[in-house]
Amino acid sequence: TTGTAGTFAPPLWLLDEYVPAFRAGRVTADLCTHQELPTGVASINIPKVSTPTTTATQTEGSAVSSTSLAATSVQGTITTIAGQNDISQQLIDQSGIPFDQVILKDLLADYNRTLDNTVVTAITGTAGINAVTYTSGSPTVAGLYSAFGQGISNITKNRFDSPTAIVIHPSLYWWIAS
């Protein structure tokens, strides 16, 4: 036999075709900043201004606003995403299609799903995040829009900047659209 995935030794007329597993992509992860990670690093520390400087109007002879900048850092640990697949040499030899590419595409698809879930979990688990909860036994689009508006207002009020993206699950998007 060809092993546990023997169905990938298809009839000749199906050599270029197969049905991949369907998985979610990496929409949220692709919205994040991407930088190369140096080798031999266990965590990343990013400097953060904790107390900004100040200015104020000043009249002649009066004191000038003086607040010294203070800094701290934000630390993130390195997370590895890995997977493997054991396959027999016979399956590679007998499969009419490049089966290693099928496995690689499937591993990559699951890597993308895992990466996106990891990023979403990290974002939603951040302390001090501008979280808004919308709960209703009979949810409406108007109620959801109100929660979106409240969230955007919180970001604008706390960051003095507008959000750069709003990420929602496709099923929620289509519910709103319908």
Side-chain angles (χ1 to χ4, degrees):
T1 66
T2 55
T4 60
T7 54
F8 275 88
L12 182 61
W13 54 275
L14 290 179
L15 285 179
D16 294 330
E17 301 292 330
Y18 73 95
V19 179
F22 298 111
R23 302 177 198 257
R26 50 184 277 174
V27 175
T28 307
D30 286 343
L31 292 171
C32 297
T33 301
H34 299 261
Q35 294 183 359
E36 291 293 320
L37 182 66
T39 58
V41 176
S43 65
I44 299 171
N45 296 309
I46 302 172
K48 176 184 176 182
V49 174
S50 57
T51 304
T53 58
T54 60
T55 62
T57 57
Q58 185 258 346
T59 58
E60 187 176 340
S62 65
V64 175
S65 176
S66 176
T67 304
S68 296
L69 185 134
T72 185
S73 65
V74 178
Q75 184 181 53
T77 56
I78 306 302
T79 302
T80 302
I81 299 171
Q84 73 177 29
N85 183 272
D86 295 327
I87 182 172
S88 71
Q89 184 63 47
Q90 290 89 349
L91 180 56
I92 291 199
D93 292 343
Q94 294 176 7
S95 179
I97 60 176
F99 196 66
D100 57 333
Q101 291 179 19
V102 172
I103 292 171
L104 182 60
K105 286 179 183 179
D106 191 59
L107 282 169
L108 180 59
D110 198 59
Y111 167 85
N112 290 335
R113 180 196 59 79
T114 302
L115 175 63
D116 212 56
N117 286 341
T118 303
V119 168
V120 169
T121 300
I123 291 170
T124 57
T126 301
I129 194 168
N130 291 297
V132 175
T133 302
Y134 171 61
T135 305
S136 172
S138 301
T140 64
V141 173
L144 184 61
Y145 276 163
S146 177
F148 279 167
Q150 184 182 357
I152 293 167
S153 175
N154 288 348
I155 291 169
T156 305
K157 178 175 52 179
N158 295 328
R159 291 203 60 217
F160 300 101
D161 198 2
S162 297
T164 55
I166 296 174
V167 179
I168 61 173
H169 194 277
S171 65
L172 180 58
Y173 172 83
W174 289 112
W175 174 74
I176 292 168
S178 67

